Amino acid sequence: MTEQQVAKLVVDTIRSKQDGVGLIITPNIQHISLLEKNFDLVNACQKAEILSYDGFPLVYYAKLRGAKILIRTTGRGVVEKILEKPEKLHCHKIFMILDSETTLDAARTWSNRNKLNDNIAYAIPPYGFENDDIYTAKLLSDIREFKTTILFMGIGAPKSEIFVNINRCALPPCWALCIGQALLVAFGCRPTPPRFIQTLNLEWLWRIRQEPKRLLPRYIKSAFLFLKAIARDIFCHD
């Protein structure tokens, strides 16, 4: 599915109790690097409603292995296309789990501008909240009581994916999008990569330039473990 198709499905479809939670995961090389040892993430990916190719190395390697993959479907692109037509979101109840006050302020400004204040609720969980049973129970209760139909998980991988998957039974029927910091870009808190950067698949370099101290070590480690996963895949299955 293209980014536009995923966004249209989310906006146009209200999930029923029978449908349950529709988990959407857009893996990049960091996800792949974690799969060898993180079985909770493996389980989340296996149970996802939509599992796309976000990172371009995944697309290239999938093609090399014979998969009929034509496009990337990035979390950033899906979020941008959902939010670009806010008039279509008035039938939804949107709950955003955010990483910081900066993102919260930007989200409130956006919702106020688009007259969606009554349709959006927010939470900024403390670090390590997933290990706090009392806080988790309260957060899940808030999400249910709001009658959430779209849940944006903006707290990064693999925390977002695992949280949704292990709490499926406590969540209302909704679309749950694990999209990292895509909301920051969609709300204009961070610049969107220029078109030529996107065309050349250099978004990773663009992100490193924005936050070198935080992202460079992560990208180096993820790249090493991704190459290790490729080697294991080739030599264990060929």
Side-chain angles (χ1 to χ4, degrees):
M1 299 176 71
T2 65
E3 293 167 351
Q4 185 63 53
Q5 287 171 328
V6 175
K8 187 175 188 303
L9 179 65
V10 170
V11 172
D12 292 350
T13 308
I14 304 293
R15 294 182 69 83
S16 67
K17 288 184 178 180
Q18 290 73 26
D19 295 329
V21 175
L23 176 57
I24 299 176
I25 304 177
T26 57
N28 52 36
I29 65 170
Q30 182 189 6
H31 291 79
I32 304 304
S33 72
L34 296 170
L35 288 175
E36 182 181 9
K37 296 182 179 180
N38 194 322
F39 298 108
D40 287 333
L41 179 59
V42 172
N43 189 255
C45 289
Q46 290 173 337
K47 294 182 178 179
E49 184 88 1
I50 297 175
L51 190 69
S52 74
Y53 291 77
D54 186 316
F56 77 90
L58 275 67
V59 176
Y60 290 161
Y61 183 65
K63 288 181 178 180
L64 179 66
R65 297 294 279 167
K68 296 180 180 179
I69 304 299
L70 302 178
I71 57 171
R72 291 173 62 196
T73 304
T74 68
R76 175 181 57 79
V78 171
V79 171
E80 287 177 347
K81 287 174 174 56
I82 289 174
L83 299 185
E84 70 183 8
K85 294 182 178 179
E87 67 278 2
K88 293 188 175 183
L89 295 175
H90 287 274
C91 62
H92 283 280
K93 301 286 280 186
I94 302 169
F95 201 104
M96 297 183 177
I97 298 183
L98 306 173
D99 63 333
S100 68
E101 291 289 341
T102 299
T103 315
L104 175 60
D105 290 342
R108 283 175 169 163
T109 299
W110 181 87
S111 65
N112 183 59
R113 183 170 65 247
N114 291 289
K115 298 180 173 57
L116 284 166
N117 288 335
D118 294 336
N119 298 75
I120 304 180
Y122 315 91
I124 304 177
Y127 181 78
F129 79 95
E130 67 278 13
N131 299 316
D132 185 334
D133 292 340
I134 295 176
Y135 182 88
T136 296
K138 176 63 167 59
L139 178 60
L140 291 169
S141 175
D142 290 344
I143 295 170
R144 286 194 306 273
E145 290 180 8
F146 192 64
K147 295 181 171 50
T148 302
T149 59
I150 299 177
L151 174 62
F152 283 115
M153 297 294 300
I155 52 175
K159 192 177 295 186
S160 293
E161 294 85 350
I162 294 171
F163 175 82
V164 172
N165 191 52
I166 67 176
N167 292 296
R168 283 176 176 272
C169 294
L171 288 167
C174 63
W175 290 105
L177 294 92
C178 302
I179 39 75
Q181 295 191 330
L183 286 170
L184 276 173
V185 179
F187 291 141
C189 297
R190 292 201 178 147
T192 302
R195 180 61 59 184
F196 80 92
I197 292 288
Q198 298 179 45
T199 301
L200 295 173
N201 292 317
L202 293 175
E203 293 103 323
W204 59 276
L205 190 59
W206 174 267
R207 295 192 193 102
I208 289 176
R209 185 172 178 271
Q210 307 297 315
E211 298 180 89
K213 290 184 179 180
R214 186 177 74 88
L215 293 181
L216 184 57
R218 179 190 297 181
Y219 276 46
I220 291 174
K221 180 180 179 180
S222 295
F224 172 77
L225 293 175
F226 178 65
L227 292 174
K228 181 181 176 182
I230 286 178
R232 185 171 61 252
D233 182 57
I234 292 173
F235 294 114
C236 290
H237 293 89
D238 285 347

